[in-house]
Amino acid sequence: MATGKAFFFECFRSHGLWTKPRYPSMPKYPKGSSLKSPGRDDPEAAVMENKATALFSVIGMTCSACAGSVEKAIKRLPGIHDAAVDLLSNRAQVLFYPAFPSEEQIRETIEDVGYVAALIKEEVNEKSTLVCRIRIIGMTCTSCSGTVESALQGVRGVQKAIVALATEEAEIQYDSKIVGADQLMKAVEDTGFEAILICTGEDRSKVELKLDGVCTERSLRIIEKSLQALPGIEKCSIDPVLNKVSLSYNPDQTGPRNFIEVIESSGSGHLKASLYPEDGGYKPHRHHEIKQYYQSFLWSLVFTIPVILTSMIFMYIPGIKHGLDIKIVNMLSIGELLRWILATPVQFIIGRRFYIGSYKALRHGSANMDVLIALGTNAAYFYSFYSVFKAATSPNFEATDFFETSATLISFILLGKYLEVLAKGKTSDAIAKLMDLAPETATLLIYDKEGNVLDELEIDSRLIQKNDVIKIMPGGKVASDGLVIWGQSHVNESMITGEARPVFKRKGDTVIGGTVNENGVLHIQATHVGSESALSQIVRLVESAQMAKAPVQKFADRISKYFVPLVITIAFFTWLSWFLAGKYHTYPKSLIPSSMDYFELALQFGITVMVIACPCALGLATPTAVMVGTGVGASQGVLIKGGHALESAHKVNCIVFDKTGTLTTGKPVVVSTKLLKNMVLCDFYEYVAAAEVNSEHPLAKAIVQYAKRLRDEENHVWPEVQDFISVTGHGVKAKVGDKEIIVGNKSLMLNSGIHIPVEAYELLAEAEQNAQTGIVVSMNQEVVGVIAISDPLKPGAQDVISILNTMKVKSIMVTGDNQGTANAIAKEVGIDTIVAEARPEQKAEKVKELQMSGFTVAMVGDGINDSPALVSADVGMAIGAGTDIAIEAADIVLMKSNLEDVITAIDLSRKTFTRIRWNYIWALGYNIIGIPIAAGVFFPMTQVRLPPWLAGAAMAASSVSVVLCSLSLKNYKRPKQLETLQIKDIMVQ
């Protein structure tokens, strides 16, 4: 069955159903298909229209890891749009394009992973799984994010919901036939937080246009109908209040310039259309939040500083003290009245946010940081108010107030939150920088009918449409993913791939949007625009990675559930203990400060305990480090798909390497040909190339390229082939003219009943000794020649294996190549353990075998035949130049295709988890050490107590220190051995 799946993959590959790799993952449906739908010109549109859903029962899953492996395996199949596996109900729901995989092939894939699967015949074909992202305003700690996450998961139709405190966003996977984005936003708002929709996942591409001019109801109706009539329009809506047109469309068929043209022509020249100003993004939202906290802090200082002066400073200046002690009403003094007046706006106006946050949390049966702050400050304020009120109504009672405590606490907490959001804003710098890579404008070339450049037009880069020709000047940014159709230059791709050296580009080469053209003019034809561009895909991947929770975060989530109630309980018993001890004189009266009695001393201890405890730091410990770590990885050309991949990578102690395209360059070349029969070499390669031209295997491409050079014809037409069969990992069979051709390894020959002569065995042995791959060619059941192909090692491969050994990481090579070649390559790079002639399922079995032996295994590969092993491994690392399916299957994508990035990925993950551990030390340390000090445990011995305002400062400092500890990752440097290796590589070149 596994062999059948591998054969199925190879058939798709050999028939051209897979496109050139795109970063960072494969498309949701194969492009470039040759399938036709009756009456349709666009095969992709036909495929898109025939989307179906299948439901399977999956027996044998025991944990979330099982469900994850099933989901990943399904998603590796071609034509899969989405898949969701429910562990509790033992079901898998798959949204797919039936023109590619069948329900039976999906079922077989599930069974290949090791579980029993059966198709459930239900009416599910109308269901559609989408992913929605919502920004959530007002969350302060993990208790808030947990409340929102629980509310979303409780909505019918929601399959999965993740709420990230650090990014203040929710990512929801839902069934659009059951629930809509509006209902999801309402669920968030019902929890008491503000929700802003980022995207619904419904649209392939979306644009918003602004209408300028006099808009009547009739003109808007004409515009709407005109736009809806355009090919490729999926959704069109007009907001008559804002004069805004929102459009969802297929970028292969139309684009924003077409919309502007239609609007302006429909309005009889009275209306003008332009792109609607962008108001979203990371920076505006974060800047608004920073500004809010800054202004609140400044206003709180205006009132708090006089309170502190009148209570702590002026009381020691005789003249001023006398004035403040003047009684107004009974025993109420001027100083007490001033402090009450000044503290009240701080408590109820500036501190209003804490009351709102507390109410929202308590309304949903949870408690967060706002509850602690509200309780602590209210205790201080209302006791002080009671004291002042009693002094005003009593001729004998002398008031003792704590107004400075409540006001100072709120001020310090606001300062801490300001510093925290300031630091948190820097954790998302990676995404902001990626989004800023795209140039604002582009130079569009206008052609006449003869293909001559007629004019150049500067346009907004968001107006670029597919197949537009864009001119890129030296020093300018490439405005869109595209194909070079004229010119040559060096392009700096370091901002996308992390590759420091500029890459030479000429006609026929691809370029990536956001990269920099260094020296020469290029004309590029746009191939991927908008959400389909490589830059957009990378941004989406990094966003998803930063949303995903690392398993270690579950520790903080568990603690946060009980943290606030526990702190409140400790605070209450602290107050009660000191109150009873003071009442029954169990400690010397001399311990009580002269300015208060035993009740007030007990109250101050209780308040201090409440305000020193900080659940925020615990909640920020993991996500901030993951955010910075994944951002740094992206800048280094290492795309890490979330916290789970980071956590697994730091434990890796065994790496399984594929050979071709991983340890070697993946660009094999024919080095020698030995014929065993008398025939012309060109005729021999005419037959061999005709058979191999249908295969996408690197060895097949090498043979075809060599045959072309013999013919000295780049576009030579090879003879027609019949009955082509690709045998994955072995070779191909085909009928060319009157000859039955078999090209492959000796196993394929023996399995086909073909006798291999001694001379051929000797040639194969010689090739293996020289680290070459020997390919046997038979015609009409007789071996006629042996082709020796060499695939050179990647620069630095030996050094990478050596460095991994020093990092105590075991290296293993698993390849489909023959034993001799595998041994020669392994010896050259320094790998001791080799598994040769391995089929795709055998690679996965080897990975599982190593895992059973206690290893944490990473698999590094680049091909379709590596994807089962990539899925099975604890961490799958895909070489960026590999196939789409390998990139999609992997947890980490090495975009530069450099082996040394394997070390970078492991080292970065280790550094990230060191930061996470330090974060937990900071977060827990403040609480473990601070709470006993705040509770007065050491007060009888030291007679030193922690004032509530200082406790508030410590609480704020804990959150800030955690975020700053995570931000220190931005200074990450690769291991020094790699810098030396890079210098050696440059010297060799």
Side-chain angles (χ1 to χ4, degrees), residues 141 163 184 242 292-293 423 578 599 688 742 841 865 869 930 937 989:
C141 64
V163 178
L184 297 175
L242 299 175
Q292 269 192 332
Y293 276 113
W578 280 101
F599 173 83
V688 175
I742 301 178
E841 66 275 12
N865 58 352
V937 171
Q989 289 187 356

Side-chain angles (χ1 to χ4, degrees), residues 463-520:
L463 292 175
I464 297 174
Q465 298 181 186
K466 196 168 183 180
N467 297 322
D468 280 348
V469 178
I470 307 297
K471 181 180 180 180
I472 314 294
M473 297 296 290
K477 285 185 178 180
V478 177
S480 168
D481 292 5
L483 196 69
V484 177
I485 61 171
W486 181 87
Q488 57 184 30
S489 178
H490 285 84
V491 176
N492 184 348
E493 298 183 341
S494 60
M495 60 289 299
I496 301 292
T497 66
E499 176 58 66
R501 293 185 291 275
V503 182
F504 181 69
K505 302 289 183 181
R506 59 185 174 187
K507 185 177 179 180
D509 291 337
T510 57
V511 289
I512 305 170
T515 56
V516 178
N517 180 26
E518 294 207 333
N519 52 9

Side-chain angles (χ1 to χ4, degrees), residues 642-894:
H644 190 281
L646 262 177
E647 182 164 348
S648 300
H650 96 280
K651 301 175 186 174
V652 166
N653 53 13
C654 177
I655 297 184
V656 176
F657 289 96
D658 174 45
K659 181 181 75 70
T660 306
T662 303
L663 289 171
T664 62
T665 60
K667 296 177 180 177
V669 291
V670 174
V671 291
S672 67
T673 308
K674 296 293 183 182
L675 299 179
L676 304 183
K677 298 292 177 185
N678 288 319
M679 62 187 305
V680 179
L681 189 63
C682 286
D683 294 341
F684 170 81
Y685 271 102
E686 185 83 0
Y687 287 107
V688 175
E692 290 282 33
V693 77
N694 294 295
S695 174
E696 288 291 311
H697 196 282
L699 296 180
K701 289 183 176 180
I703 291 171
V704 173
Q705 282 299 115
Y706 185 75
K708 284 179 179 178
R709 283 199 296 273
L710 286 176
R711 289 282 175 188
D712 199 22
E713 296 177 34
E714 186 63 29
N715 299 314
H716 179 71
V717 178
W718 305 107
E720 188 178 346
V721 173
Q722 295 177 333
D723 303 329
F724 173 81
I725 297 174
S726 175
V727 183
T728 304
H730 294 282
V732 298
K733 299 179 180 181
K735 191 171 183 182
V736 182
D738 60 347
K739 294 186 185 294
E740 184 184 335
I741 308 295
I742 301 178
V743 186
N745 56 22
K746 59 186 176 184
S747 298
L748 181 61
M749 299 298 156
L750 295 173
N751 292 338
S752 302
I754 297 171
H755 170 69
I756 302 176
V758 175
E759 188 180 355
Y761 273 115
E762 290 173 352
L763 291 170
L764 289 172
E766 183 184 342
E768 290 172 3
Q769 287 174 359
N770 295 326
Q772 297 166 356
T773 302
I775 302 295
V776 184
V777 179
S778 79
M779 296 183 183
N780 293 335
Q781 300 292 304
E782 185 181 10
V783 173
V784 296
V786 175
I787 302 171
I789 298 177
S790 173
D791 186 6
L793 279 177
K794 281 188 175 176
Q798 296 162 305
D799 296 300
V800 168
I801 301 302
S802 174
I803 294 169
L804 286 171
N805 288 336
T806 64
M807 294 170 69
K808 298 182 180 178
V809 178
K810 180 181 177 67
S811 298
I812 294 172
M813 186 175 78
V814 180
T815 177
D817 213 334
N818 61 73
Q819 188 71 50
T821 304
N823 286 335
I825 292 290
K827 185 179 179 181
E828 198 172 342
V829 296
I831 293 177
D832 298 325
T833 309
I834 311 112
V835 178
E837 299 181 21
R839 296 191 303 274
E841 66 275 12
Q842 290 173 325
K843 291 184 180 183
E845 286 167 9
K846 181 62 182 177
V847 168
K848 290 174 183 175
E849 182 186 315
L850 290 165
Q851 290 169 328
M852 293 293 287
S853 303
F855 287 103
T856 301
V857 183
M859 170 70 193
V860 185
D862 73 322
I864 288 175
N865 58 352
D866 297 322
S867 45
L870 289 168
V871 172
S872 300
D874 296 287
V875 182
M877 297 187 187
I879 297 294
T883 61
D884 290 331
I885 197 165
I887 290 170
E888 179 71 9
D891 302 298
I892 297 174
V893 181
L894 311 178

Side-chain angles (χ1 to χ4, degrees), residues 254-372:
T254 189
R257 290 206 314 281
N258 294 345
F259 308 148
I260 291 173
E261 185 180 340
V262 166
I263 290 170
E264 293 182 351
S265 61
S266 300
S268 303
H270 300 301
L271 288 175
K272 295 292 180 184
S274 58
L275 288 167
Y276 203 83
E278 291 182 321
D279 57 359
Y282 290 82
K283 291 181 180 178
H285 160 63
R286 196 65 79 184
H287 285 170
H288 176 69
E289 190 179 15
I290 290 168
K291 187 178 178 181
Q292 269 192 332
Y293 276 113
Y294 180 67
Q295 289 177 341
S296 296
F297 170 64
L298 287 182
W299 275 110
S300 69
L301 278 186
V302 170
F303 293 98
T304 301
I305 289 173
V307 172
I308 294 172
L309 290 174
T310 56
S311 62
M312 297 181 180
I313 308 297
F314 294 161
M315 299 308 292
Y316 297 99
I317 302 173
I320 300 176
K321 181 181 184 303
H322 177 72
L324 293 173
D325 286 342
I326 296 173
K327 308 300 179 193
I328 303 172
V329 180
N330 290 328
M331 296 299 288
L332 177 65
S333 68
I334 292 175
E336 289 159 356
L337 180 63
L338 278 173
R339 286 193 290 275
W340 174 50
I341 293 170
L342 290 167
T344 300
V346 177
Q347 182 70 36
F348 297 107
I349 299 174
I350 298 169
R352 179 171 172 264
R353 67 176 68 239
F354 302 117
Y355 286 100
I356 295 170
S358 301
Y359 170 72
K360 290 174 182 176
L362 295 172
R363 190 162 65 105
H364 291 90
S366 64
N368 60 8
M369 185 196 76
D370 291 334
V371 173
L372 293 178

Side-chain angles (χ1 to χ4, degrees), residues 3 74 111 124 340 537 697 801 811 945:
T3 306
I74 295 169
E111 295 198 337
V124 294
W340 174 50
Q537 291 184 53
H697 196 282
I801 301 302
S811 298
R945 58 193 171 84

Side-chain angles (χ1 to χ4, degrees), residues 412-699:
F412 270 108
I413 288 163
L414 288 172
L415 173 62
K417 292 300 289 182
Y418 166 68
L419 295 174
E420 182 186 318
V421 296
L422 202 65
K424 274 167 64 180
K426 295 184 183 298
T427 61
S428 59
D429 277 356
I431 292 180
K433 286 177 181 176
L434 282 170
M435 295 173 78
D436 288 343
L437 287 178
E440 292 183 2
T441 60
T443 303
L444 176 69
L445 296 180
I446 310 296
Y447 287 83
D448 59 20
K449 292 180 181 179
E450 284 73 36
N452 300 313
V453 176
L454 194 64
D455 196 8
E456 295 181 6
L457 185 65
E458 188 171 335
I459 62 169
D460 190 305
S461 61
R462 291 174 292 163
L463 292 175
I464 297 174
Q465 298 181 186
K466 196 168 183 180
N467 297 322
D468 280 348
V469 178
I470 307 297
K471 181 180 180 180
I472 314 294
M473 297 296 290
K477 285 185 178 180
V478 177
S480 168
D481 292 5
L483 196 69
V484 177
I485 61 171
W486 181 87
Q488 57 184 30
S489 178
H490 285 84
V491 176
N492 184 348
E493 298 183 341
S494 60
M495 60 289 299
I496 301 292
T497 66
E499 176 58 66
R501 293 185 291 275
V503 182
F504 181 69
K505 302 289 183 181
R506 59 185 174 187
K507 185 177 179 180
D509 291 337
T510 57
V511 289
I512 305 170
T515 56
V516 178
N517 180 26
E518 294 207 333
N519 52 9
V521 179
L522 294 176
H523 292 181
I524 67 159
Q525 185 175 32
T527 54
H528 297 86
V529 296
S531 60
E532 291 187 346
S533 69
L535 186 59
S536 295
Q537 291 184 53
I538 292 171
V539 168
R540 280 200 302 274
L541 187 144
V542 177
E543 284 175 341
S544 296
Q546 295 185 347
M547 284 292 298
K549 291 183 179 179
V552 71
Q553 196 172 335
K554 293 176 183 176
F555 167 71
D557 291 344
R558 281 196 298 269
I559 291 177
S560 65
K561 284 183 182 179
Y562 310 104
F563 187 87
V564 174
L566 180 65
V567 168
I568 293 171
T569 304
I570 293 172
F572 173 76
F573 279 106
T574 297
W575 169 80
L576 186 64
S577 300
W578 280 101
F579 173 73
L580 293 175
K583 186 173 183 177
Y584 295 107
H585 310 292
T586 56
Y587 60 83
K589 195 172 182 180
S590 59
L591 288 178
I592 305 173
S594 58
S595 59
M596 60 180 72
D597 59 22
Y598 67 87
F599 173 83
E600 292 162 348
L601 179 66
L603 180 66
Q604 197 171 80
F605 279 127
I607 292 170
T608 306
V609 168
M610 255 188 290
V611 296
I612 200 170
C614 181
C616 288
L618 273 173
L620 294 169
T622 299
T624 52
V626 170
M627 283 179 72
V628 179
T630 51
V632 167
S635 68
Q636 297 273 352
V638 178
L639 291 181
I640 302 168
K641 298 182 181 179
H644 190 281
L646 262 177
E647 182 164 348
S648 300
H650 96 280
K651 301 175 186 174
V652 166
N653 53 13
C654 177
I655 297 184
V656 176
F657 289 96
D658 174 45
K659 181 181 75 70
T660 306
T662 303
L663 289 171
T664 62
T665 60
K667 296 177 180 177
V669 291
V670 174
V671 291
S672 67
T673 308
K674 296 293 183 182
L675 299 179
L676 304 183
K677 298 292 177 185
N678 288 319
M679 62 187 305
V680 179
L681 189 63
C682 286
D683 294 341
F684 170 81
Y685 271 102
E686 185 83 0
Y687 287 107
V688 175
E692 290 282 33
V693 77
N694 294 295
S695 174
E696 288 291 311
H697 196 282
L699 296 180

